[in-house]
Amino acid sequence: MGFIVEGDESGDVVLEPPPNFSMVEEGIFRSSFPRPCNFAFLKTLNLRSIIYLCPEPYPEENLEFLRSHNIRLFQFGIEGKTEPSLASLKDAIRGALKILIDVRNHPVLIHCKRGKHRTGCLVGCLRKLQNWCLSSVFEEYQHFAGMKSRSADLRFIETFDIVCLTQCLHSIIYQYQGYGSKKRRLLYGEECTETPNNFDMNEESAHNINGRNSHFSLMV
């Protein structure tokens, strides 16, 4: 694991990223479960949101960090020790993707327990939405999963139908953002997402997720 040391008037500050930390795309990060020793590093990311893929309650010390930095928590409880039903897994990944591709939630951190399987499935399905070839999607998944790679995860990613998400995106318009940019924005005018369980959602936050004319972006 890498450490970043910054000097300031009070002395050196050691910034420790969570294990399996990596940038997925600009404004999207992934990692294992952050511990208090990782909070100083997370602060440098200026996060707006965290997508948490475990069913267990979020620890109070982590919630306090989120509250103190105005970070929203979106929880999608996917079982890790036992294989979840295919229907519940699809629903969770679909819901998490809708939060993930909304640029108003960026910068966003995705994490589960180890940052391998559940996080890998979500990132893998995002890559399919970005039209990555399947071999590259699998290679990225296996890079983070290592020897713990699960064939069931790979089958899920392979068979995940992105149409189930894109069907919600009516009246899609692709707009390039700036010269030479690889970002595209998807606009849709139909309310089709449900509010996930999340921490301290205010009226404006709920409108961001459920409101009409929401703006989504994909990095392709």
Side-chain angles (χ1 to χ4, degrees):
M1 178 187 299
F3 292 82
I4 304 172
V5 180
E6 290 187 349
D8 60 17
E9 294 179 357
S10 60
D12 289 338
V13 177
V14 178
L15 305 179
E16 179 181 349
N20 254 350
F21 176 83
S22 182
M23 178 185 284
V24 178
E25 293 286 348
E26 182 182 353
I28 301 177
F29 306 93
R30 61 179 291 169
S31 75
S32 63
F33 202 105
R35 297 174 296 155
C37 63
N38 307 131
F39 290 169
F41 173 80
L42 294 184
K43 186 177 178 181
T44 67
L45 302 179
N46 297 313
L47 295 173
R48 287 185 180 175
S49 311
I50 284 181
I51 295 177
Y52 173 46
L53 300 175
C54 301
E56 296 79 15
Y58 219 54
E60 182 57 36
E61 56 191 349
N62 290 60
L63 286 175
E64 180 56 36
F65 172 76
L66 267 56
R67 281 191 286 263
S68 64
H69 294 87
N70 197 30
I71 300 171
R72 288 170 291 176
L73 175 66
F74 299 96
Q75 182 171 2
F76 299 88
I78 302 173
E79 289 292 339
K81 295 181 180 179
T82 59
E83 190 169 327
S85 70
L86 185 59
S88 64
L89 181 56
K90 283 182 177 179
D91 287 344
I93 294 296
R94 186 185 303 118
L97 277 171
K98 290 174 182 177
I99 300 301
L100 184 60
I101 63 177
D102 187 338
V103 295
R104 291 168 301 182
N105 296 320
H106 295 181
V108 56
L109 173 69
I110 310 161
H111 78 80
C112 50
K113 211 70 167 181
R114 306 294 180 188
K116 296 180 179 181
H117 305 116
R118 288 167 282 195
T119 299
C121 284
L122 177 56
V123 173
C125 292
L126 172 67
R127 298 308 193 191
K128 288 190 67 176
L129 203 56
Q130 295 175 300
N131 294 319
W132 277 34
C133 66
L134 202 56
S135 60
S136 295
V137 175
F138 286 176
E139 182 180 356
E140 182 179 40
Y141 170 90
Q142 291 165 337
H143 171 77
F144 289 95
M147 298 297 293
K148 298 294 183 69
S149 176
R150 294 176 179 173
S151 57
D153 289 348
L154 297 177
R155 285 196 302 273
F156 174 80
I157 294 171
E158 182 176 9
T159 59
F160 183 79
D161 187 3
I162 61 172
V163 173
C164 69
L165 180 65
T166 55
Q167 280 177 342
C168 291
L169 306 180
H170 300 286
S171 303
I172 296 177
I173 303 172
Y174 291 87
Q175 297 178 335
Y176 282 102
Q177 301 175 9
Y179 178 77
S181 172
K182 292 184 178 181
K183 291 184 180 180
R184 290 180 177 178
R185 177 158 294 185
L186 304 183
L187 291 80
Y188 74 105
E190 185 76 15
E191 181 177 358
C192 34
T193 63
E194 296 181 357
T195 304
N197 294 330
N198 64 84
F199 145 74
D200 195 25
M201 172 172 285
N202 56 31
E203 183 177 352
E204 180 181 358
S205 303
H207 177 75
N208 285 349
I209 297 170
N210 290 316
R212 297 178 182 274
N213 298 322
S214 298
H215 294 264
F216 290 83
S217 76
L218 292 179
M219 282 63 77
V220 296

